[in-house]
Structure formats: structure tokens, C-alpha cells
Amino acid sequence: MTRLRRLLKGEARRPRMVLGKTPVSLDEKKSGGGEGPDQHEANETPIPDSLDGIEKFLRERLGNESPDVILRRLVIWTSPELDALLFYIEGLTSRDVINMMALRSVMLAERTTALDAGALDRENIATVISTHLVPSGQITVVRSMELAMEHVLTGEGALFVEGSPECVLFEAKGWEHRGIEEPATEKVVRGPREGFAELLRANTALIRRRLRTPDLRLDATIVGVRSKTDVVVAYVEGLTDPDLVDTVKERIDAICVDIMTDSGVLEELIEDHTYSPFPQVQYTERPDRFVAALSEGLVGILVDGSPMALMIPANLSSFFQSPEDYYERFPFGGPLRTLRYIAGVIALIFPALYVAVATFHQEMIPTKLALAIAGSHVPVPFPSLVEALLMEVALELIREAAIRMPDPISQSLGFVGALLLGDAAVSAGLVSPIMVIVVAVTGLSSLIIPHYPTGLAIRLLRFPLLFLSASLGLFGLIAGLIAIALHLGGLTSFGVPYLEPMMKPKELVRDVIWRSPEYTFQRRPEYPSPQDQIRQKAFMRTWIPEVAEKARQDGEALADSRDQSGEEENTRGRG
Amino acid sequence: MLVAVIVFSTGFLAAARLLTPVAGTAAWISVLLGGVIGLVIAWLVGSVSSAFPEQNLVKIAEDIFGKPFGKVIGLTFALYCTVVVVLGTREFVLAISISFLERTPFYVTTAVFFILASYAAYLGIEAIARVCFIFFGVVIISIAILGVFAIPVLVPGRLLPLAGRGVIPIMRAALLTASYTGEAIVSLAFLRHLKDKRHVSRAVGTGVAIGTAIMAMTVAYGIMMLGTGGISRVTYPAVETARMVGAGEFLERGEILFLALWFSVAILKLASVFYAAITAIADLLNLDNYRRLILPFGIISMVLSSIPANVAQSFAAVEYFLKYTVWYAIALPALLLIGARVLRHEKGGTPDDSR
């Protein structure tokens, strides 16, 4: 206990996790438990000689009253018979595995010659059992009680044998969990419906299934002194920038917290600028999106117990993308993307712009509209700012309430609340009808942004802009916008400038505010600095005569000018 | 890109008013000539930077002329930047007050300017450059739109006679423009942040060229729409030009939107010059962290920019500035370059070999 406290205070050094210079995969780490870094733990208790001693020890450490801790005495039917103790946690382990595989095979094993009395002694007994009697894929033999407990608490079963200083651990994980469902936050009309769930291993399987390259790395570590949460860093060897991978691992390694409840907590602990309203790490529930990010050279992070996977680095444009931009045909992908940017701008400045124009620059708008605005504002006793604030706050209230409400009510509340409130406010003379339209359009626009935290940032920044434009008109609004732009300009995500892809006009049209046809994505985006720049062949549609001709010329040019690499798109990157 | 912003942003607001009396209808030609001078300056800047990559201005000057004299040159550079900041701010605050914030006190707008400039300087030149890039695109598009909508109002005949009042006035006006384009030497302070050291003169030159083109276009439009007589009567011809353009029923007076957009560019310019000034001072004083200077320098220049009591005084100051700074803008990089050449001859080619 004191050790824990010292660890949390940062006085004691946490044993270094597997992460670091030499990556070890999750599976290796688990099976190599005996050599794991956990051995550096200061107080290790050797396994007591007698089963009574073991049982007493476990009861003391895990509490006498916990009904899910199962300690089952049994006899292994060898000659001579061996007393053994099976130790597992009910609920974490699969009943089938425990019953069928462990209990049956150990208890009902035929008396084989290999297990005859002469062959067994104190030292090799556990190894012999693990190799001959327990039909399980993952088996570990450990020599300390702490290690045994740690593994059992992750869902393995432990078999102690009377007199042996070793313990056999076998894979038996199987707990109740949510199945693979459609992602709740990133819905698409067209595209896969699978979403990550809470179970880490299921999530890694979803990734492996979509990215079968042997270069996929899933490096595991454990975060949380008490919770001991599994965290996996995913990347593609030979593609992802190794410096980026190292940075991510370093930052995760530096975390020393008590528990790790969700990937959101992890995000906050590793991001560059905590005080910025803009998110610097992408997250997704969609394995397809996650895999696409990995294939572009990003680093992914999965946290056990969280259906939200993180992707690093991020930039502003990544928060305006939706997987559907690519699944839907080209003529619709591009305009939809642009629409989202326009929506972002509207969500950010529309109320502020309205207040500025209505308060300071009435001459800007056509006379008829100006008269209409003025007319609708006559019965309202407040200045435009108060009006706008009233409506904005009401909208935020409705939105927050709709999220916290039980599902059946929330849907109707969203509509009814907004409609009723707006209508009542207008007829009570508190706000003008035009303001209701402004706020409604703003609210709608902010919901179009696919990434929720970015929408939050924009919602938050709307209010200072409102105040600025109410006090200094358009001048204040522009000043505020410049301050935001400067802030974005100075922002980085894991060292990558936040506005990076927007700096390149070519990139801008290709895949930032517009999406070009699939066959033009010849190169990967540059911002994560992937080691391999070329994503696909330059000329794929060679059934079209012109393209075939171009491809032929390109091949010639490539052969001709190896050193003039600047000229041909295709030769760059490779050379 | 940053250079383009520096060059055209303040210049094009008032350029037409200052130039037309001097050069008459040919003001736009003198702008182009001024641009040529600017290109020469850009070439000088580029040569200096390729002779001394990795170094800041004060260090370069000290290397060439020895410590005391180098410090003096650094000081003049810092002073130059300060003057640009102070006058630029003043000009802008005036434009905004005259055009659309009549009742807001000067110091409020000035303070907003300097708060933004300080924030930008705090974030550093990279952030400023990135934002410049984005806003520059927006401004170019807005100018282009304005240009298209202005076509019906144009009277090309007003550009005649093409030669204006003769060659000498054109040259004099060109020198005036050149002091705007000469502000490109501010980029000397950013050189060590450039990624590609080889193409400095091309980059700065492109910036100057774009800036000049925009300025020339505005001046020409101004003359075509208002005539030479009309231009001399209004304070800010560009604003007036924009005012005459209306996008039909939808936007009746676009000039405010236009002013606001381009006000954003001005802030970026001032921010970058502000940054140049404080980094130069920091180098002079051998400070590691230039950020400590932001607050004192910001307050000092804010006070300085509030000194001119009225519009006339500040215009006079701007004109003085225009008349004389062009020589400084040419002299500084030229001096550095000549000094470097002489030094190389004496020492056997050390500085240039570092490439």
C-alpha cells in the first residue's frame, strides 16, 4: 500500500513497461510473463509448499468474502495422485474453458507413463503438467504469488500443485461484454457498420482483419497503477515515422496515474496543448477509419475498456472529414466536404456577424432587409447581444438536456423544446424571429461537424466572438477571428503544425477542403511524415487509352530522367 | 507570401492618394517601377542571406563591421522596424476610425492592434506565416471579386495621358512606392527561420512582385473610377473604390467587409514587423528569450503611435517616412553585402564557403 502511494506521488520509480526501444507484442508479453518487467517488483512471494499455505495467502490478499474468487481443490489422476488447487475469478473466465478444458483434462486424464511417479519431482512437475495435461493455447509457468494473482485478475486460470514452487497459468478469458455494434457517434449512410467495442482483444482483431500486412504492430503496455489497463500502440512498421512512434510511446510511458478509465483521459495526458479548445488527437469508433489512418502513417492508440480509438497526429482538416466522403462517389464527396467547412464557419461566426451588422453596420445590408430586421426588432426590449445570448444559452441547454435524457424522451425533446421555446420567446417579445433563424441555422451547422469535440470548441468560441462583435462591430469580430487563426497557427499536434495540410494549395484541393477522385490519391498526406510516400500507382485505369498512353510516357520519362526527380510526380518519393 | 503581405497591406490603402498628385495619371506605372526597386532590394536580401545562412541580422553586422558598429546597424534596423510598426498602426487605426468606428476612441482600436500583434509575436513567426497564407488567399479572392464587380464603373479614358506628368515625377513617385516595397528588408529578421535557404531572393522577390501587382492594380482602378482629381480629395482611395462597387441587391456597401478582411492582413503585417523589431532588440541585448520584450515594447510603441494629435500630423509623418526610408532599405542590405565581399577578399573567402 505504501509502495502504491509512493508510486503515485512519483517518489518511487515505476517499473519500466514493455514499451520503449524494443517493442514486444501483446502476446509475447503475456506468455513471457516470467521474464516480464513485473519481476522487478520489490516484494515477491515464492509459492508456498503446501496448498493450505497458498489458499491462506490468497484469501488474505483477495479478501475472505469475495464470492467471485474461486479456489477449487482437486486431485490430478496421475500415479501417485497429486493434490492441486485451481484458482480463478468467476466472471472473468469462460465457464466452458474452466470446465471442459482445465477440470476435465486434469481430473480425468488417463494414467500415462510420462506422468508416472518416477518422472515427477518438485521442480519439473508444473512444467510437465503444462506440457501434458492442460490443453490451452497460452500457458505460462510462474514462480511468484504476485505474478500469479496479477494474471488471474486479467482473466486467466491458475493451477497450483502440492509441493511445487511453480504455478501453471492458462488462458481462460471470457467475460460478458458488449458485442460489435454500429458506431453511435459516427454514422454513415454508406459504408461498414462495425464499430469498436470495449473489449481490447476484439478491437485488435477488427484491426487485424482489415489490415493483414505482417508489418502491423500492436505494441502493448499497461497504464494505471491500480487499474492496470492494457493500452495498445498500433502502427505499421516501415511506413509510420519511427520518431512519431517513439514520441507517442514515451509520452504514454511517462503517465503514472491511479486508474485509466477511457481513452479520453489518455488523450488529455499526452496532448501538446491542454488549454487549447481545439482537440489535437483524433478519435474514432470505426475500425475502417482507424485502419485508413494507420495506412496513412498515423499512430493509433487503443485503450482497454474504451470503444474510442485515438489517432495521432491530427490537424484541423482531419476533424472535418468523414469516412463517407470516400465511400460515396466522387461528385458528392467533394461538395459534402466543402459544405462541412462552410458549416464550421457559419457555426463559428453567424450570430456574431448578425449582431455586428444589426448593431453597427446596418448600411451593409440592402435597405429592405435592414428595414425587416429593424421592424422585427421593435417589440424586443433587449439589444441584439442579449437577444443572441438568450437564444444561444437556451439552445445549449436543450442540447445538453437532450444528451442526458433517456433515449425515448430526448428525441422529442430536441424538436419540441427548440420549436416551443423559440416560438414562445418570439410571441412573448423576448427575441426577434430573425434571431431565432440565426440561432437555429447556427445550431444546425455546428451539428454537421463530424468530430464532436471540434464542434464543442466552435460552440465555445462563439461566445467570445459574440461579445467582441457587440462591442467593436466587424472590427472586433475580425480581431477575434485573427486571434483564433493565430492560435491555430501556433498549435501543434505531436510536433506537427495544426494547419499543415492547408498550407499547400495542391493538397488543399486534393483532400482537405475538397476530395479528388480516388485514383488521384497517389501519395500519402505529408503531415505524419510517412516513410513511404507512395500510396498507389499513378495510372491505374489503363483501360482508358489516354491514361494508358500517359502511363507509357511516364514510364519512359522515368527511365529517361532518373536524376531529374523534381519533374515527374511518379519518380519523386521513390528516388 | 509574408513579404507580399508586408508590402501591399499598408501601401495600397493610401498609395493612390500620395502618388497621384506627384505622378498624375501614370501613378500606376510608378508603382510598377517602385516594384522593380523592391525586386532589387529582394535580390540584395537574398544575397545577404545566402552569404550568411543560419545567422541573424545583428550577428551578420557584427561579423562584418566589428562589434560596436554592428550593434549600431542592428539598432537602426530595430528602429526602422519600430517606425514601421508605429506608423503602420497609426495609419490603420485612422482608416478604421474614419471609415467605420467613428465614435470608438483611438486608444481602444490601437490597443486591440497591439494585443493581437503581441499575441502573434508570442507565438512566433511560423504561426504568423501560416495564418498569413490563409488570410492572403481570402484577401486575393476578395480583391479579385471586387475587381470583377468594378468593371462596369470603370472609365479607362481617365488613365490618359499614359505618361502622366512626365518622367521625373514618375520616378519620384516610384521612389515613394519603393519605400513600401522596401519594407521587404524586414524579412532579414526572419531569414534564419526559412527552411529553404537557397531560394530566399526568389521568395522575397515573389512576395514583392505580388504586393506590387496588387498595389498597381488598386491604383489603376482608383484612377479609372475616381479620376486624378477625385483621388486627391478622398483620404483612402481604396476604401472609396470599394464603396463604389456594389454587388447588386445583396450587398449594398461592400467596403466594410472589404476593409475588415484587409484589416486582418494589416494586423498580420504589423505582427510580423513587430516580431522583427523585438527579435532584433533581443539580439542586440543578447537575450535568449525575445518573449520578455513583448510587453515593454508593445506598450512603448502603442504610446508612440498615439502621439500624432490629428490626422494631418500623422499623414505628414507617413510622408516623411516614405521619402527617406527607401534609401535605408537599399543601403542596409547593400552595405552588408559589400561589407561581406570586402571581408571575403581580405580573409580568403570564409563566409561564402559555409554553404
Side-chain angles (χ1 to χ4, degrees), chain A residues 82-96:
Chain A
L82 294 165
D83 282 328
L85 176 72
L86 183 64
F87 164 42
Y88 63 94
I89 308 280
E90 200 178 358
L92 288 184
T93 46
S94 152
R95 199 164 293 163
D96 287 348

Side-chain angles (χ1 to χ4, degrees), chain A residues 1-287:
Chain A
M1 206 42 112
T2 42
R3 186 183 147 72
L4 243 172
R5 206 167 293 139
R6 277 174 49 223
L7 256 177
L8 285 177
K9 279 185 187 164
E11 288 167 7
R13 215 176 67 81
R14 191 176 63 125
R16 189 163 168 83
M17 295 303 173
V18 188
L19 286 182
K21 296 292 172 209
T22 47
V24 180
S25 81
L26 193 63
D27 300 344
E28 273 175 53
K29 199 224 144 193
K30 283 279 180 299
S31 56
E35 296 147 24
D38 305 285
Q39 266 201 342
H40 302 299
E41 294 261 356
N43 348 308
E44 282 199 351
T45 321
I47 293 170
D49 277 347
S50 72
L51 290 182
D52 287 336
I54 294 171
E55 193 170 343
K56 188 163 163 273
F57 179 89
L58 290 174
R59 286 284 178 213
E60 265 173 22
R61 288 298 305 273
L62 295 165
N64 280 317
E65 319 250 316
S66 309
D68 58 340
V69 176
I70 308 295
L71 292 168
R72 163 90 157 76
R73 291 290 187 109
L74 51 98
V75 174
I76 302 177
W77 202 35
T78 50
S79 65
E81 289 170 349
L82 294 165
D83 282 328
L85 176 72
L86 183 64
F87 164 42
Y88 63 94
I89 308 280
E90 200 178 358
L92 288 184
T93 46
S94 152
R95 199 164 293 163
D96 287 348
V97 173
I98 294 289
N99 287 349
M100 304 291 291
M101 291 170 69
L103 284 177
R104 183 192 268 182
S105 60
V106 171
M107 292 170 79
L108 306 180
E110 290 185 16
R111 293 173 189 249
T112 58
T113 45
L115 294 175
D116 268 352
L120 297 175
D121 59 36
R122 264 185 54 132
E123 283 303 319
N124 71 358
I125 187 164
T127 316
V128 172
I129 288 172
S130 71
T131 50
H132 287 69
L133 283 182
V134 186
S136 170
Q138 287 185 31
I139 289 229
T140 320
V141 176
V142 297
R143 301 180 76 97
S144 99
M145 290 303 285
E146 276 76 18
L147 267 178
M149 270 194 301
E150 197 172 289
H151 281 262
V152 167
L153 286 172
T154 64
E156 292 178 27
L159 191 68
F160 297 95
V161 182
E162 176 90 45
S164 163
E166 293 177 327
C167 151
V168 180
L169 295 163
F170 56 94
E171 171 65 38
K173 289 193 187 84
W175 48 76
E176 292 305 315
H177 58 86
R178 194 167 63 97
I180 292 169
E181 291 169 14
E182 188 179 354
T185 56
E186 292 166 277
K187 290 208 162 119
V188 292
V189 178
R190 184 173 175 178
R193 300 284 156 100
E194 274 179 341
F196 285 131
E198 280 76 8
L199 195 62
L200 180 70
R201 193 39 56 86
N203 293 347
T204 55
L206 282 174
I207 297 166
R208 282 259 186 227
R209 245 186 54 212
R210 284 162 186 276
L211 204 62
R212 291 192 196 153
T213 165
D215 295 333
L216 175 66
R217 298 283 175 275
L218 298 169
D219 292 353
T221 186
I222 291 172
V223 172
V225 179
R226 272 203 179 80
S227 69
K228 301 206 188 295
T229 312
D230 284 317
V231 172
V232 166
V233 176
Y235 58 96
V236 180
E237 184 87 52
L239 169 62
T240 316
D241 180 18
D243 292 341
L244 182 65
V245 177
D246 282 348
T247 315
V248 172
K249 284 181 173 178
E250 208 173 279
R251 290 192 189 182
I252 294 179
D253 244 4
I255 295 175
C256 190
V257 290
D258 195 8
I259 64 168
M260 176 61 56
T261 40
D262 185 73
S263 58
V265 181
L266 189 81
E267 174 186 341
E268 196 173 317
L269 288 169
I270 59 174
E271 68 190 351
D272 288 12
H273 308 270
T274 315
Y275 295 107
S276 168
F278 289 93
Q280 298 129 49
V281 174
Q282 313 177 49
Y283 76 80
T284 184
E285 280 189 86
R286 305 184 60 91

Side-chain angles (χ1 to χ4, degrees), chain B residues 186-201:
Chain B
V186 170
S187 55
L188 273 175
F190 315 137
L191 291 182
R192 66 190 132 155
H193 297 287
L194 279 180
K195 269 188 215 141
D196 193 357
K197 299 271 193 303
R198 279 167 302 165
H199 302 303
V200 172
S201 38

Side-chain angles (χ1 to χ4, degrees), chain A residues 185-442:
Chain A
T185 56
E186 292 166 277
K187 290 208 162 119
V188 292
V189 178
R190 184 173 175 178
R193 300 284 156 100
E194 274 179 341
F196 285 131
E198 280 76 8
L199 195 62
L200 180 70
R201 193 39 56 86
N203 293 347
T204 55
L206 282 174
I207 297 166
R208 282 259 186 227
R209 245 186 54 212
R210 284 162 186 276
L211 204 62
R212 291 192 196 153
T213 165
D215 295 333
L216 175 66
R217 298 283 175 275
L218 298 169
D219 292 353
T221 186
I222 291 172
V223 172
V225 179
R226 272 203 179 80
S227 69
K228 301 206 188 295
T229 312
D230 284 317
V231 172
V232 166
V233 176
Y235 58 96
V236 180
E237 184 87 52
L239 169 62
T240 316
D241 180 18
D243 292 341
L244 182 65
V245 177
D246 282 348
T247 315
V248 172
K249 284 181 173 178
E250 208 173 279
R251 290 192 189 182
I252 294 179
D253 244 4
I255 295 175
C256 190
V257 290
D258 195 8
I259 64 168
M260 176 61 56
T261 40
D262 185 73
S263 58
V265 181
L266 189 81
E267 174 186 341
E268 196 173 317
L269 288 169
I270 59 174
E271 68 190 351
D272 288 12
H273 308 270
T274 315
Y275 295 107
S276 168
F278 289 93
Q280 298 129 49
V281 174
Q282 313 177 49
Y283 76 80
T284 184
E285 280 189 86
R286 305 184 60 91
D288 51 331
R289 192 164 165 221
F290 189 79
V291 166
L294 290 187
S295 78
E296 288 188 348
L298 275 74
V299 176
I301 301 176
L302 294 162
V303 177
D304 190 27
S306 170
M308 305 289 181
L310 305 179
M311 295 170 297
I312 290 164
N315 58 60
L316 189 60
S317 68
S318 48
F319 298 120
F320 285 88
Q321 293 176 356
S322 158
E324 211 171 352
D325 296 347
Y326 306 99
Y327 302 153
E328 199 46 81
R329 285 185 54 244
F330 158 70
F332 315 109
L336 279 178
R337 177 81 61 81
T338 314
L339 179 75
R340 251 177 252 132
Y341 280 93
I342 296 172
V345 174
I346 291 178
L348 185 63
I349 68 167
F350 199 35
L353 189 68
Y354 173 77
V355 168
V357 169
T359 329
F360 289 89
H361 317 287
Q362 295 92 342
E363 72 278 2
M364 252 180 76
I365 36 184
T367 323
K368 275 185 191 165
L369 185 58
L371 284 178
I373 291 177
S376 76
H377 200 269
V378 168
V380 180
F382 309 116
S384 302
L385 171 70
V386 178
E387 219 185 326
L389 279 179
L390 264 179
M391 282 313 286
E392 285 290 344
V393 170
L395 185 80
E396 297 299 320
L397 285 178
I398 293 172
R399 205 186 291 198
E400 191 59 23
I403 296 174
R404 311 285 158 226
M405 287 248 161
D407 267 358
I409 315 174
S410 69
Q411 288 207 341
S412 46
L413 180 103
F415 289 107
V416 176
L419 278 179
L420 275 184
L421 207 67
D423 195 45
V426 170
S427 35
L430 288 178
V431 291
S432 61
I434 291 186
M435 183 56 86
V436 176
I437 298 175
V438 168
V439 171
V441 171
T442 314

Side-chain angles (χ1 to χ4, degrees), chain B residues 126-144:
Chain B
E126 282 97 348
I128 301 177
R130 275 181 216 121
V131 176
C132 261
F133 186 86
I134 291 172
F135 272 85
F136 191 71
V138 175
V139 169
I140 291 276
I141 292 170
S142 73
I143 289 180

